[in-house]
Amino acid sequence: YTNGCHIADKRHEIMENGEEINPGLYQNTTYCLLYYPTYQGALFLPDPGNENQYYLFHMALDEGISNPYFAGQRYYFSLVNATANQGNGSVVDKNHLLLEDAAVGGYIAAVKHANGRDWWIVSPHHVTNRYYRFLLDPQGVHGPYVQEIGDTLPSPCCGMTLFSTDGNKYFRSTTPSGLQILDFDRCTGTFSNPVFIPADSIGFSGPAGLATSHDSRYLYVSTNKYLFQYDLQATNIPASRFFIAQIDSSYYNPEKGTFHHARLAPDGKIYLMSLNYVPEMAVINFPERQGLACKADQHGYQLPSLFGNDLIFNFPHFRLGPIDGSSCDSLGIDNVPVAQFRWDFEDSLSPRAVTFTEVCDYETTQWHWSFGDGTTSPERNPAHVYTADGVYEVCLTATNANGSNTLCKTLTLGISAQNNPSGDALFQVFPNPCSDVLFLSNASDWQRPAFQIRDVQGRLLLQKDLGTGMIELSMQGLPNGIYFWELQSVGVRVKGGKVLKVD
């Protein structure tokens, strides 16, 4: 990973030859202790010609720019050999100059080429309607190729760029200006059919974060205070705007949160960072559902500490295959499905009612669910009610014209985690011994999980309802000694242990 000033290895140390990327103004300053001051200014991609190498595309800033956060004077790539230096990696080509003095506006986004192997990398000009794109293939980086299309965005601040999950659309937001939507040809790398939505037509402060649903049907646009949904299949996309949520203006933890930069995650949910510093992310739980059924939660995912203020996880949709039958479908790569799914308990009054959501890759067209109780379903995202508690093996088979793939997972309903060994990895309590703070890492799908702390006499001292993510539990006020903890699901013990509190 990189902070924009160096590349780190898996030991969290500066990688061999990984120091001083982006040479210039910000090296050896306090910025390099935190982050490099560009928006979406770095992106790692696998080398199409060498499975052991990765390209880092990155932007560098210099003096003389009126808004240094929003434009890069120099555009580089650096090449990492991940297996070198005994598996800790080495930078084998550093600060390889791609563009200089072009006023590229940061905002690096990438999408798979229509052949299913190579990559298109795109960045916009600082304030105009000019777009720079590069092609990454086994022979290296080609370009820049330049295209001018759509509207000029004279105020570049605070937005992001994004390709839709299927790669067919490109979005560019800037908070004061608005949202540019362009069709993208993954074969030729060219844009077409511009649609512009001005900031004052979107909402308070203009567009900031962008994300699309797994099926590319819906675009979510945040404006710091508000969250909207657009239907990308609508005849008139701007007119399809639907209000989803507003930030709770009375909630401070320690600052008031915002809806800001966003990403679709592999679990099919959309996570949004806050512009202010808060210990949580907002979550859109069901992005493929229309309107309020998408279930946006401002406090949906707990973080281990305070994060925010421009922090964005920048990555493309890696599992995008070729456009079958196109003129660029020339490498013999097929879109063979990869089955993926998750489950949720949406109805707290029906603990055996389970919602299943597919997040399959590579253009699945048919779904077959086996719920482990003798029943099946061909629906894409079925809901199922079990008649009894138990341990069930749930399987999804994803199919298209090129093949099929099956994934099975163990679902535990209302009984001890001893029957579900994966629970040990999904729920963790640390550090042990602890002092004033105990962290709970919860990645399980338990129904209405709750955490309790008791003393050696069995007296209940602390109790907390749990969400998903990292939860911080204060142990202040408790004397040093041994305590017993218990994880419950719908009031039933599923896991327990001991923790030692020390100074």
PDB file of all heavy atoms in Angstrom, residues 391 410 412 416-427 446 494-495:
ATOM      1  N   VAL A 391     -28.174 -26.039  12.060  1.00  0.00           N
ATOM      2  CA  VAL A 391     -27.036 -25.700  11.211  1.00  0.00           C
ATOM      3  C   VAL A 391     -27.373 -26.161   9.800  1.00  0.00           C
ATOM      4  O   VAL A 391     -27.643 -27.351   9.576  1.00  0.00           O
ATOM      5  CB  VAL A 391     -25.742 -26.365  11.712  1.00  0.00           C
ATOM      6  CG1 VAL A 391     -24.583 -26.039  10.776  1.00  0.00           C
ATOM      7  CG2 VAL A 391     -25.423 -25.890  13.120  1.00  0.00           C
ATOM      8  N   THR A 410     -22.055 -22.318   5.659  1.00  0.00           N
ATOM      9  CA  THR A 410     -22.793 -22.855   6.794  1.00  0.00           C
ATOM     10  C   THR A 410     -23.557 -21.744   7.496  1.00  0.00           C
ATOM     11  O   THR A 410     -22.970 -20.747   7.939  1.00  0.00           O
ATOM     12  CB  THR A 410     -21.846 -23.547   7.790  1.00  0.00           C
ATOM     13  OG1 THR A 410     -21.164 -24.609   7.126  1.00  0.00           O
ATOM     14  CG2 THR A 410     -22.616 -24.098   8.970  1.00  0.00           C
ATOM     15  N   THR A 412     -25.940 -20.803  10.690  1.00  0.00           N
ATOM     16  CA  THR A 412     -26.303 -21.259  12.028  1.00  0.00           C
ATOM     17  C   THR A 412     -27.482 -20.448  12.535  1.00  0.00           C
ATOM     18  O   THR A 412     -27.423 -19.214  12.571  1.00  0.00           O
ATOM     19  CB  THR A 412     -25.118 -21.105  12.995  1.00  0.00           C
ATOM     20  OG1 THR A 412     -23.996 -21.831  12.487  1.00  0.00           O
ATOM     21  CG2 THR A 412     -25.469 -21.624  14.374  1.00  0.00           C
ATOM     22  N   SER A 416     -25.682 -23.128  19.495  1.00  0.00           N
ATOM     23  CA  SER A 416     -24.333 -22.797  19.936  1.00  0.00           C
ATOM     24  C   SER A 416     -23.358 -22.728  18.781  1.00  0.00           C
ATOM     25  O   SER A 416     -23.425 -23.497  17.824  1.00  0.00           O
ATOM     26  CB  SER A 416     -23.837 -23.850  20.930  1.00  0.00           C
ATOM     27  OG  SER A 416     -22.472 -23.649  21.212  1.00  0.00           O
ATOM     28  N   ALA A 417     -22.413 -21.793  18.903  1.00  0.00           N
ATOM     29  CA  ALA A 417     -21.359 -21.663  17.897  1.00  0.00           C
ATOM     30  C   ALA A 417     -20.436 -22.857  17.870  1.00  0.00           C
ATOM     31  O   ALA A 417     -19.624 -22.992  16.964  1.00  0.00           O
ATOM     32  CB  ALA A 417     -20.551 -20.390  18.151  1.00  0.00           C
ATOM     33  N   GLN A 418     -20.534 -23.745  18.868  1.00  0.00           N
ATOM     34  CA  GLN A 418     -19.707 -24.954  18.837  1.00  0.00           C
ATOM     35  C   GLN A 418     -20.027 -25.797  17.616  1.00  0.00           C
ATOM     36  O   GLN A 418     -19.204 -26.573  17.148  1.00  0.00           O
ATOM     37  CB  GLN A 418     -19.942 -25.773  20.108  1.00  0.00           C
ATOM     38  CG  GLN A 418     -19.462 -25.077  21.379  1.00  0.00           C
ATOM     39  CD  GLN A 418     -19.788 -25.862  22.624  1.00  0.00           C
ATOM     40  OE1 GLN A 418     -20.414 -26.918  22.551  1.00  0.00           O
ATOM     41  NE2 GLN A 418     -19.377 -25.366  23.777  1.00  0.00           N
ATOM     42  N   ASN A 419     -21.240 -25.624  17.082  1.00  0.00           N
ATOM     43  CA  ASN A 419     -21.620 -26.346  15.869  1.00  0.00           C
ATOM     44  C   ASN A 419     -21.228 -25.609  14.602  1.00  0.00           C
ATOM     45  O   ASN A 419     -21.513 -26.056  13.511  1.00  0.00           O
ATOM     46  CB  ASN A 419     -23.136 -26.588  15.857  1.00  0.00           C
ATOM     47  CG  ASN A 419     -23.557 -27.502  16.983  1.00  0.00           C
ATOM     48  OD1 ASN A 419     -22.941 -28.538  17.191  1.00  0.00           O
ATOM     49  ND2 ASN A 419     -24.594 -27.107  17.715  1.00  0.00           N
ATOM     50  N   ASN A 420     -20.608 -24.442  14.766  1.00  0.00           N
ATOM     51  CA  ASN A 420     -20.195 -23.628  13.620  1.00  0.00           C
ATOM     52  C   ASN A 420     -18.767 -23.156  13.848  1.00  0.00           C
ATOM     53  O   ASN A 420     -18.540 -22.076  14.380  1.00  0.00           O
ATOM     54  CB  ASN A 420     -21.136 -22.434  13.446  1.00  0.00           C
ATOM     55  CG  ASN A 420     -20.786 -21.612  12.217  1.00  0.00           C
ATOM     56  OD1 ASN A 420     -19.937 -21.999  11.418  1.00  0.00           O
ATOM     57  ND2 ASN A 420     -21.433 -20.472  12.069  1.00  0.00           N
ATOM     58  N   PRO A 421     -17.759 -23.985  13.504  1.00  0.00           N
ATOM     59  CA  PRO A 421     -16.372 -23.644  13.812  1.00  0.00           C
ATOM     60  C   PRO A 421     -15.903 -22.356  13.166  1.00  0.00           C
ATOM     61  O   PRO A 421     -14.945 -21.747  13.625  1.00  0.00           O
ATOM     62  CB  PRO A 421     -15.587 -24.855  13.273  1.00  0.00           C
ATOM     63  CG  PRO A 421     -16.509 -25.515  12.296  1.00  0.00           C
ATOM     64  CD  PRO A 421     -17.878 -25.270  12.807  1.00  0.00           C
ATOM     65  N   SER A 422     -16.568 -21.879  12.099  1.00  0.00           N
ATOM     66  CA  SER A 422     -16.137 -20.632  11.478  1.00  0.00           C
ATOM     67  C   SER A 422     -16.372 -19.437  12.382  1.00  0.00           C
ATOM     68  O   SER A 422     -15.823 -18.362  12.167  1.00  0.00           O
ATOM     69  CB  SER A 422     -16.874 -20.420  10.155  1.00  0.00           C
ATOM     70  OG  SER A 422     -18.263 -20.250  10.382  1.00  0.00           O
ATOM     71  N   GLY A 423     -17.184 -19.608  13.450  1.00  0.00           N
ATOM     72  CA  GLY A 423     -17.443 -18.514  14.366  1.00  0.00           C
ATOM     73  C   GLY A 423     -16.196 -17.988  15.040  1.00  0.00           C
ATOM     74  O   GLY A 423     -16.113 -16.815  15.413  1.00  0.00           O
ATOM     75  N   ASP A 424     -15.186 -18.835  15.251  1.00  0.00           N
ATOM     76  CA  ASP A 424     -13.945 -18.384  15.870  1.00  0.00           C
ATOM     77  C   ASP A 424     -13.258 -17.315  15.044  1.00  0.00           C
ATOM     78  O   ASP A 424     -12.662 -16.390  15.582  1.00  0.00           O
ATOM     79  CB  ASP A 424     -12.995 -19.571  16.071  1.00  0.00           C
ATOM     80  CG  ASP A 424     -13.501 -20.524  17.150  1.00  0.00           C
ATOM     81  OD1 ASP A 424     -14.275 -20.057  18.015  1.00  0.00           O
ATOM     82  OD2 ASP A 424     -13.131 -21.700  17.118  1.00  0.00           O
ATOM     83  N   ALA A 425     -13.315 -17.437  13.740  1.00  0.00           N
ATOM     84  CA  ALA A 425     -12.670 -16.452  12.874  1.00  0.00           C
ATOM     85  C   ALA A 425     -13.540 -15.221  12.667  1.00  0.00           C
ATOM     86  O   ALA A 425     -13.025 -14.141  12.402  1.00  0.00           O
ATOM     87  CB  ALA A 425     -12.330 -17.097  11.522  1.00  0.00           C
ATOM     88  N   LEU A 426     -14.858 -15.381  12.815  1.00  0.00           N
ATOM     89  CA  LEU A 426     -15.771 -14.292  12.512  1.00  0.00           C
ATOM     90  C   LEU A 426     -15.964 -13.340  13.686  1.00  0.00           C
ATOM     91  O   LEU A 426     -16.399 -12.211  13.503  1.00  0.00           O
ATOM     92  CB  LEU A 426     -17.127 -14.848  12.079  1.00  0.00           C
ATOM     93  CG  LEU A 426     -17.125 -15.656  10.788  1.00  0.00           C
ATOM     94  CD1 LEU A 426     -18.499 -16.248  10.531  1.00  0.00           C
ATOM     95  CD2 LEU A 426     -16.688 -14.799   9.612  1.00  0.00           C
ATOM     96  N   PHE A 427     -15.666 -13.800  14.906  1.00  0.00           N
ATOM     97  CA  PHE A 427     -15.814 -12.934  16.080  1.00  0.00           C
ATOM     98  C   PHE A 427     -14.569 -13.053  16.948  1.00  0.00           C
ATOM     99  O   PHE A 427     -14.183 -14.157  17.344  1.00  0.00           O
ATOM    100  CB  PHE A 427     -17.054 -13.327  16.887  1.00  0.00           C
ATOM    101  CG  PHE A 427     -17.312 -12.407  18.048  1.00  0.00           C
ATOM    102  CD1 PHE A 427     -17.973 -11.203  17.863  1.00  0.00           C
ATOM    103  CD2 PHE A 427     -16.870 -12.726  19.323  1.00  0.00           C
ATOM    104  CE1 PHE A 427     -18.197 -10.346  18.920  1.00  0.00           C
ATOM    105  CE2 PHE A 427     -17.089 -11.875  20.384  1.00  0.00           C
ATOM    106  CZ  PHE A 427     -17.751 -10.676  20.184  1.00  0.00           C
ATOM    107  N   TRP A 446     -24.673 -13.425  13.011  1.00  0.00           N
ATOM    108  CA  TRP A 446     -25.562 -13.796  14.114  1.00  0.00           C
ATOM    109  C   TRP A 446     -26.781 -12.878  14.131  1.00  0.00           C
ATOM    110  O   TRP A 446     -26.700 -11.697  13.840  1.00  0.00           O
ATOM    111  CB  TRP A 446     -24.821 -13.693  15.449  1.00  0.00           C
ATOM    112  CG  TRP A 446     -23.597 -14.538  15.549  1.00  0.00           C
ATOM    113  CD1 TRP A 446     -22.306 -14.121  15.683  1.00  0.00           C
ATOM    114  CD2 TRP A 446     -23.540 -15.968  15.494  1.00  0.00           C
ATOM    115  NE1 TRP A 446     -21.462 -15.184  15.719  1.00  0.00           N
ATOM    116  CE2 TRP A 446     -22.181 -16.338  15.599  1.00  0.00           C
ATOM    117  CE3 TRP A 446     -24.497 -16.969  15.361  1.00  0.00           C
ATOM    118  CZ2 TRP A 446     -21.764 -17.655  15.597  1.00  0.00           C
ATOM    119  CZ3 TRP A 446     -24.076 -18.288  15.357  1.00  0.00           C
ATOM    120  CH2 TRP A 446     -22.729 -18.616  15.469  1.00  0.00           C
ATOM    121  N   VAL A 494     -23.678 -18.073  22.179  1.00  0.00           N
ATOM    122  CA  VAL A 494     -23.051 -18.719  21.030  1.00  0.00           C
ATOM    123  C   VAL A 494     -21.537 -18.814  21.175  1.00  0.00           C
ATOM    124  O   VAL A 494     -20.889 -19.579  20.472  1.00  0.00           O
ATOM    125  CB  VAL A 494     -23.391 -17.973  19.712  1.00  0.00           C
ATOM    126  CG1 VAL A 494     -24.864 -18.076  19.400  1.00  0.00           C
ATOM    127  CG2 VAL A 494     -22.968 -16.516  19.766  1.00  0.00           C
ATOM    128  N   LYS A 495     -20.959 -18.033  22.091  1.00  0.00           N
ATOM    129  CA  LYS A 495     -19.515 -18.070  22.271  1.00  0.00           C
ATOM    130  C   LYS A 495     -19.172 -17.361  23.563  1.00  0.00           C
ATOM    131  O   LYS A 495     -19.894 -16.451  24.000  1.00  0.00           O
ATOM    132  CB  LYS A 495     -18.807 -17.384  21.083  1.00  0.00           C
ATOM    133  CG  LYS A 495     -17.308 -17.628  21.021  1.00  0.00           C
ATOM    134  CD  LYS A 495     -16.717 -17.004  19.770  1.00  0.00           C
ATOM    135  CE  LYS A 495     -15.229 -17.290  19.688  1.00  0.00           C
ATOM    136  NZ  LYS A 495     -14.604 -16.641  18.530  1.00  0.00           N
TER     137      LYS A 495
END
